[in-house]
Amino acid sequence: GQRFNNLTVGPQGTLAQGELAGTTLNQGTVSDSFIPLGSTLTGGILTGQVMNQGTLNDIEFQGTQLTGGLLSGQIRVTRQGILYNVRLLAKTHLVGGFLKGRIEGDTVNPPLLEGVTVQHDGYVNNVILGDDVENSGTLANFAFRGNLLRGGKLAGKITVTGKGAFQNVSLAPDTKLQSVRLKGKIKGDANAPALLDSLTIENDGEVENVIINQNVTNKGTIANAEFRGTAMEGGRLAGTIRNTQAGTFKDIRLAPNASLIGGNIEGQIFGESADEPALLEDVRIASGSFLENVMIGNNVTFPKEVKFGVHVRFLKMMVGRYYYWDGRGQWLRDMTFAEDDY
């Protein structure tokens, strides 16, 4: 198209298929145009296919796709427009649009994104997310200020303000989550699990392949995880749970064939299946605890007055000078417990 230098497009003006060099003030509509490297366009409406190597300030994009360059100020995207491979400068406010390719924000003063949809090939990094964000791609190193974020992959360091929740998301290797509510299926990387700290797993939450750090409340299910916290009360454990810092689980349910390795347990410990009991290994059981539908494995320590319900089995022969409640109303003392005694 024709090249224009330092152009002003008036309030009723339209320009199509131009190359807009220098500084362009747009008070009208620019369509299917190219903004070269080092050039700036400010204001107005952009439509069609826009190729940008410069900087666009305070625009409304009503076109099909805007590709490349820098965006700044107030950016509004309507009519299902696509932003592809763009950078968002400090304190930019983006409302609407479909995001494809790599979308990079400012690391010091991240842009705010609201009402956007990240498509499956989109990678959005260093931003603040508000409400009405849909994600089928990857969101990395962001702060979340909205109510609910669904889908896609999360990566890097993530912070949440308010009572925001993530639902049905996957977690990239070494992701860090804190101060958020988790709902639906949350799956980390088995080889480089995400680190979870100071958050809540809701009743419908199923969290897998993660490291549980301090102050995590579990109302749902944790599977195939490492526990590094001090204490956790309630919830359900599944798969293989490794308690590596001598923390304590209290009043928990154990899924069929679950394995709990290391640390301490106390309170009510219920396996969910008599036919597929949960396995306890290298565990210390606190006095007064009650166990049901579990298999006692290697290096399990019993203090006195541990109570047994139904279907408690022993993997190996064990001799104990302890008091046990056998679940049938009898106290046992100085007994030798053989495999499948209960």
Side-chain angles (χ1 to χ4, degrees), residues 103-264:
I103 310 296
E104 288 283 345
D106 185 82
T107 58
V108 178
N109 293 299
L112 172 62
L113 278 56
E114 297 180 291
V116 301
T117 298
V118 182
Q119 297 196 318
H120 72 278
D121 62 344
Y123 185 96
V124 180
N125 190 36
N126 292 320
V127 298
I128 299 170
L129 299 177
D131 287 324
D132 302 320
V133 175
E134 296 289 338
N135 181 32
S136 298
T138 299
L139 297 168
N141 302 306
F142 65 92
F144 183 60
R145 295 181 181 175
N147 294 315
L148 179 63
L149 176 62
R150 294 189 184 94
K153 179 179 287 189
L154 310 183
K157 184 177 180 181
I158 299 164
T159 60
V160 179
T161 58
K163 298 182 179 180
F166 297 154
Q167 183 176 35
N168 297 334
V169 299
S170 63
L171 305 174
D174 301 317
T175 298
K176 296 181 180 179
L177 286 186
Q178 62 182 15
S179 304
V180 68
R181 296 180 298 118
L182 300 180
K183 300 167 65 67
K185 294 185 181 297
I186 311 294
K187 189 169 184 178
D189 185 275
N191 296 318
L195 179 66
L196 277 53
D197 208 347
S198 302
L199 53 76
T200 297
I201 301 167
E202 296 289 7
N203 294 332
D204 65 339
E206 300 177 20
V207 179
E208 183 177 5
N209 296 332
V210 296
I211 298 170
I212 304 293
N213 208 26
Q214 301 292 342
N215 303 316
V216 173
T217 299
N218 181 25
K219 301 177 184 178
T221 298
I222 297 172
N224 300 315
E226 177 186 351
F227 181 62
R228 296 180 183 175
T230 303
M232 177 178 287
E233 182 173 354
R236 180 175 185 264
L237 304 181
T240 300
I241 306 296
R242 298 184 181 276
N243 187 344
T244 59
Q245 301 296 320
T248 299
F249 288 110
K250 180 179 180 181
D251 298 335
I252 55 173
R253 291 180 295 116
L254 298 170
N257 291 321
S259 294
L260 178 56
I261 303 170
N264 305 283

Side-chain angles (χ1 to χ4, degrees), residues 18 70 94 247 277 335:
L70 308 177
L94 170 62
M335 298 292 291

Side-chain angles (χ1 to χ4, degrees), residues 242-296:
R242 298 184 181 276
N243 187 344
T244 59
Q245 301 296 320
T248 299
F249 288 110
K250 180 179 180 181
D251 298 335
I252 55 173
R253 291 180 295 116
L254 298 170
N257 291 321
S259 294
L260 178 56
I261 303 170
N264 305 283
I265 58 175
E266 64 177 61
Q268 307 291 308
I269 310 299
F270 288 101
E272 293 180 344
S273 173
D275 296 327
E276 300 175 305
L279 175 64
L280 306 179
E281 291 186 308
D282 300 313
V283 171
R284 183 184 182 278
I285 305 174
S287 177
S289 297
F290 178 86
L291 280 68
E292 188 168 283
N293 293 330
V294 298
M295 178 80 75
I296 306 299

